[in-house]
Amino acid sequence: MNSKVKLLTLASLTLTVSSLTVGTVVALAKLTNQSKLFINGIGEVRVGMTVSQAAKAAGTKLIGDSPNNSCYYVKPQNEPKNLLFMVTKGRISRVDVRQNTEITTLKGAKIGDTEAQIKSLYPGQIKVTPHKYVQGGHYLTFIPKDRTNQNYRVVFETDGKRVTQFRSGKLPEVEFVEGCS
């Protein structure tokens, strides 16, 4: 064998081993309080998955309301607490984070952050509107610039000063003020 063939064999063997390692890591990724919320999901769970696909991706059973055609919620059986998935037309359409100060967005935004902190994390991409039920409160809506994400949002609810809860997902569900009500 010449040295080029040996090098090529070694390179493809290394690549194969790397791929196996990555595959194993992804398969073991479980939804935790350290999972990051992003515009169309959290951790390995994506908007558009069925509940069973989402449970598999989350590495935990998803429990909650009994399925119906219009809208219902499921949540991880154990951890993370106060994390909910809205299901519409049989698929995950939105992720809600309530009373969980550990889960953050990819940029680090979380419950308890000030309105100013949210605006500084997403400069020029936050639309501020009045909260429907909390006097002085706001909805700080992150609107992506990337065309491929135009149908997604992250909505931070505030009491006028700090984030009280937040959610991400697809339009129109992500903007449903009363969830499935």
Side-chain angles (χ1 to χ4, degrees):
M1 252 201 239
N2 66 30
S3 61
K4 278 187 178 177
V5 173
K6 280 184 188 171
L7 186 61
L8 189 59
T9 305
L10 183 62
S12 60
L13 184 62
T14 305
L15 188 61
T16 305
V17 172
S18 301
S19 300
L20 290 172
T21 309
V22 169
T24 307
V25 171
V26 170
L28 299 174
K30 189 170 164 41
L31 205 55
T32 68
N33 285 321
Q34 284 67 53
S35 297
K36 302 298 179 203
L37 180 116
F38 47 95
I39 202 153
N40 66 341
I42 183 168
E44 297 297 317
V45 179
R46 301 284 180 275
V47 166
M49 286 181 164
T50 63
V51 175
S52 61
Q53 288 170 331
K56 191 173 184 181
T60 185
K61 191 174 180 184
L62 298 177
I63 58 167
D65 303 336
S66 54
N68 68 50
N69 290 330
S70 55
C71 186
Y72 65 99
Y73 278 98
V74 293
K75 64 185 179 184
Q77 186 169 26
N78 299 310
E79 295 288 328
K81 297 276 186 233
N82 300 303
L83 177 70
L84 301 162
F85 296 100
M86 179 186 279
V87 182
T88 52
K89 296 179 184 157
R91 298 194 174 267
I92 304 295
S93 55
R94 143 179 163 176
V95 183
D96 290 49
V97 178
R98 301 180 185 159
Q99 302 162 333
N100 183 322
T101 55
E102 292 182 65
I103 293 176
T104 70
T105 65
L106 286 172
K107 296 227 180 201
K110 64 186 180 309
I111 291 174
D113 283 355
T114 64
E115 288 191 0
Q117 285 172 298
I118 299 302
K119 290 173 188 171
S120 73
L121 287 171
Y122 305 96
Q125 290 183 279
I126 295 290
K127 175 183 161 193
V128 181
T129 53
H131 198 290
K132 188 172 177 182
Y133 297 110
V134 179
Q135 191 159 3
H138 299 107
Y139 299 108
L140 305 182
T141 304
F142 167 73
I143 301 171
K145 289 180 179 159
D146 184 353
R147 284 187 145 280
T148 59
N149 290 325
Q150 282 302 299
N151 289 329
Y152 298 97
R153 300 285 184 271
V154 178
V155 179
F156 300 92
E157 291 192 31
T158 77
D159 58 10
K161 293 179 176 58
R162 295 188 176 276
V163 174
T164 56
Q165 59 185 352
F166 60 103
R167 61 186 178 264
S168 72
K170 69 181 191 73
L171 293 170
E173 291 91 336
V174 72
E175 292 187 335
F176 290 173
V177 174
E178 296 163 0
C180 285
S181 301

